[in-house]
Amino acid sequence: MVKKRDIREAAMQLLFARDLHGELRDEDLGVFWQLHSAKQATREQSEKLAADVFAHLPEIDEAISAAVVNFSFDRINTVDRNILRLAVYELMHKADVPVPVVINEAIEIARRFATEDSARFVNGVLDRIAKDLRNKKAPSIKHQAS
């Protein structure tokens, strides 16, 4: 059985590596998986998830930038930035994953790979983005003139 958290953690690490080193070649992925043993299904799903996030990176980064109040996107540390990217992708494109699950998973990954401050930061940013997305999806009520 493949654990979703394992997939998310590996995908975040792949995004982190790509953020630091640029495009990951097949040999880079081979080295990554030598260092991070995982089942084949986890590897495949992690690579797909990371690729999906990267394919939507401009809109994801824009949403994060808009949500960080009085803080520059470039100042977000690399781990936090990639945890946020992964979670924002799920908020925007994985309607089958409940919002609280997305946020909780991101917080737990932040606790594991970053700091307690990172977990609070990630929580605040994702909460803001989730509310913004909910407001955009809410049907507008038009008042008819009587």
Side-chain angles (χ1 to χ4, degrees):
M1 177 185 219
V2 178
K3 294 180 182 178
K4 297 285 187 186
R5 169 96 39 95
D6 292 342
I7 294 167
R8 287 181 178 103
E9 287 180 355
M12 186 279 298
Q13 291 174 309
L14 287 167
L15 291 167
F16 177 89
R18 187 171 184 155
D19 217 14
L20 291 179
H21 304 294
E23 186 73 34
L24 297 178
R25 301 175 312 233
D26 288 339
E27 48 273 11
D28 298 327
L29 288 173
V31 170
F32 177 84
W33 291 118
Q34 284 177 350
L35 297 172
H36 302 85
S37 62
K39 296 177 184 175
Q40 185 62 33
T42 300
R43 292 176 184 203
E44 291 169 2
Q45 291 179 46
S46 298
E47 289 178 18
K48 180 179 180 342
L49 181 55
D52 290 346
V53 170
F54 194 75
H56 292 62
L57 209 53
E59 74 174 322
I60 291 169
D61 286 354
E62 183 179 317
I64 295 169
S65 293
V68 290
V69 180
N70 299 324
F71 201 77
S72 166
F73 178 82
D74 296 334
R75 290 188 55 218
I76 301 172
N77 77 54
T78 309
V79 174
D80 292 355
R81 181 172 51 243
N82 286 294
I83 292 169
L84 287 169
R85 284 172 167 167
L86 183 62
V88 171
Y89 168 77
E90 287 190 308
L91 290 172
M92 291 178 152
H93 299 284
K94 294 289 189 178
D96 60 321
V97 182
V99 170
V101 170
V102 172
I103 294 174
N104 186 58
E105 286 290 297
I107 291 167
E108 292 303 318
I109 292 170
R111 284 187 179 132
R112 177 157 186 233
F113 290 95
T115 67
E116 192 64 34
D117 287 340
S118 292
R120 284 191 290 273
F121 175 73
V122 165
N123 183 30
V125 173
L126 292 178
D127 186 56
R128 207 168 296 128
I129 291 171
K131 286 177 183 170
D132 185 47
L133 290 172
R134 189 174 346 160
N135 290 337
K136 287 180 182 177
K137 290 180 182 177
S140 59
I141 301 170
K142 295 185 181 181
H143 298 283
Q144 295 179 354
S146 304

